[in-house]
Amino acid sequence: ALSSTIGTGNIVGVATAIAAGGPGALFWMWISAFFGMATKYAEGLLAIRYRQKDENGEIAGGPMYYLEKGLRSPLLAKIFAFFGVSVALLGIGTFTQVKSISDALTMSLSVPRYVTAILLTIAVAFITIGGIKRIASVAEKVIPFMCVLYIGGVILILVSHITVLPSTIALIIKSAFTPQAVFGGGTGITMVIAMQKGISRGIFSNESGLGSAPIAAAAAKTDSCVEQGLVSMTGTFIDTIVICTMTGLSIVIAGSWLNPELEGVAITMDAFQKGLPFPSFVATFSLMLCLVFFAFTTILGWNYYGERCVEYLFNRNKGVVMGYRILYILAVFIGPYMTVKAVWNIADIFNALMAFPNLIALLALNGVIVKETRDFHAKHNGSY
């Protein structure tokens, strides 16, 4: 779940949010994460509460199942599954990740886009056809190392600019509520724009409320739905409060967001080049390496989410599942040739469509969430 959550949203999403909404967008990302932790807790709890075993003895769960069995709405369950497949094929799962990988490789190593498209397509095809066990084995080895490398690099930037850190944080908070003039006063950034960009990119990054994480949470080896809810909510904290904040502070400190000629990953690359006390190539290569692996594991994780939604819609028809995998692999091939604006707009649209039925379930089943939580704490005498 964490490998799917930590992706381009942490590196590129933060950059696009600050470029469009100013430093104040980072403040609204914090707000989205604060409430998002509660949302993710509820999703993880319900995933375990309503999961079931299929005919092969494998665990199946997620919003489809708590919509059908908890809310007793098979229609909303199917709507969620349809948009879940759409997000996997056209949103977070492919286009945004692949486009960011392509841009990073082109900028850092001058790799042609068609080479990136071919190599990524082959790699994704090999791993996704191998199934969830291969996905898990790749993700669990790659993500911890990449997190340490990326966080270590950003900490180095922040420590070397420790004297301007307080004023940077003050600017972020002030910008969240104060209109700003950008690029010589040409375009204004209002509080509404900062809020919209911060919240949308925050949700894109931590996926709270989308309903994706509970699909993975349902497969957890635990008998306690409350414990899984607590584990799930840490994903939002690590993703946004920790990693996105580090990225955002680096970008604001470097002033990279003020350059109108930069977009997407180029903004974060500029911040690393200015902030790290290393030669420009070393800083660029380090960021490129982290971005490639973050985005790649997100591609793998979202293939699993989409596949689970397809299995739900078509009663685990193997032919349809294989057809979905082929479409997913083709979407990976298309990604490098799309524009930055297009991939993020498409992602925002499908994220909203996917979140809608899931949020209905979270609100309607709040009684179940509260009861399970109270029973758990009563059992542990409030000392857990």
Side-chain angles (χ1 to χ4, degrees):
L2 197 57
S3 73
S4 301
T5 303
I6 298 177
T8 57
N10 302 88
I11 300 175
V12 185
V14 177
T16 59
I18 294 175
L26 185 58
F27 174 85
W28 294 109
M29 289 186 82
W30 296 337
I31 298 301
S32 75
F34 178 77
F35 290 103
M37 284 190 285
T39 309
K40 192 71 76 77
Y41 169 79
E43 290 178 309
L45 186 154
L46 292 175
I48 299 298
R49 176 71 171 73
Y50 292 102
R51 68 181 177 178
Q52 63 181 44
K53 283 189 177 182
D54 60 24
E55 60 269 19
N56 298 319
E58 294 183 2
I59 296 293
M64 304 86 74
Y65 294 90
Y66 55 71
L67 278 164
E68 179 185 338
K69 300 184 179 301
L71 199 59
R72 302 188 186 280
S73 177
L75 176 60
L76 275 179
K78 287 181 170 58
I79 290 172
F80 171 85
F82 174 78
F83 286 125
V85 176
S86 301
V87 172
L89 287 175
L90 305 173
I92 296 178
T94 54
F95 291 162
T96 51
Q97 312 300 329
V98 176
K99 174 64 177 173
S100 297
I101 291 174
S102 175
D103 287 349
L105 290 173
T106 299
M107 291 173 194
S108 60
L109 302 176
S110 300
V111 178
R113 295 191 186 280
Y114 73 88
V115 173
T116 302
I118 292 171
L119 292 177
L120 268 180
T121 302
I122 292 171
V124 170
F126 174 74
I127 297 174
T128 56
I129 292 174
I132 181 60
K133 289 185 179 180
R134 185 172 290 170
I135 291 173
S137 67
V138 171
E140 70 186 7
K141 291 178 178 65
V142 169
I143 280 297
F145 175 73
M146 286 298 111
C147 281
V148 170
L149 178 62
Y150 184 74
I151 292 173
V154 179
I155 287 176
L156 191 56
I157 294 175
L158 299 181
V159 169
S160 60
H161 295 80
I162 193 72
T163 55
V164 298
L165 201 53
S167 60
T168 300
I169 294 172
L171 173 63
I172 289 168
I173 296 173
K174 179 183 177 182
S175 301
F177 303 96
T178 308
Q180 298 170 270
V182 184
F183 311 143
T187 305
I189 294 178
T190 65
M191 174 181 164
V192 173
I193 294 175
M195 185 185 297
Q196 189 268 324
K197 295 300 179 183
I199 292 175
S200 65
R201 293 294 171 264
I203 292 172
F204 176 96
S205 179
N206 59 52
E207 299 177 17
S208 296
L210 292 190
S212 53
I215 298 175
K221 293 179 180 178
T222 178
D223 294 324
S224 171
C225 56
V226 172
E227 285 186 358
Q228 184 55 43
L230 294 169
V231 170
S232 293
M233 71 189 292
T234 62
T236 298
F237 182 85
I238 294 169
D239 177 273
T240 306
I241 303 298
V242 177
I243 300 181
C244 285
T245 296
M246 289 182 163
T247 305
L249 288 172
S250 301
I251 291 170
V252 177
I253 286 172
S256 304
W257 66 282
L258 289 167
N259 189 341
E261 295 180 1
L262 300 178
E263 66 173 359
V265 69
I267 297 172
T268 313
M269 278 193 172
D270 183 71
F272 265 58
Q273 289 168 356
K274 291 178 179 176
L276 286 173
F278 301 128
S280 178
F281 174 78
V282 175
T284 302
F285 183 78
S286 300
L287 180 65
M288 180 274 296
L289 195 64
C290 291
L291 177 60
V292 167
F293 281 104
F294 281 168
F296 187 67
T297 51
T298 298
I299 293 170
L300 302 183
W302 268 93
N303 171 70
Y304 172 67
Y305 293 156
E307 191 169 306
R308 282 302 194 188
C309 289
V310 169
E311 288 176 348
Y312 180 83
L313 284 171
F314 296 96
N315 198 27
R316 296 174 179 77
N317 184 299
K318 292 183 179 180
V320 176
V321 170
M322 184 55 67
Y324 159 79
R325 290 178 178 176
I326 293 170
L327 286 176
Y328 197 87
I329 293 165
L330 288 174
V332 169
F333 185 79
I334 295 169
Y337 303 101
M338 300 182 68
T339 66
V340 172
K341 184 176 181 180
V343 297
W344 288 95
N345 284 341
I346 291 170
D348 284 344
I349 291 168
F350 282 112
N351 283 353
L353 292 171
M354 182 179 179
F356 186 69
N358 182 55
L359 293 175
I360 291 174
L362 298 185
L363 288 170
L365 295 173
N366 74 87
V368 175
I369 298 165
V370 170
K371 182 181 183 302
E372 291 287 352
T373 304
R374 286 177 175 169
D375 290 348
F376 178 85
H377 285 288
K379 180 180 178 182
H380 291 84
N381 297 318
S383 61
Y384 182 79

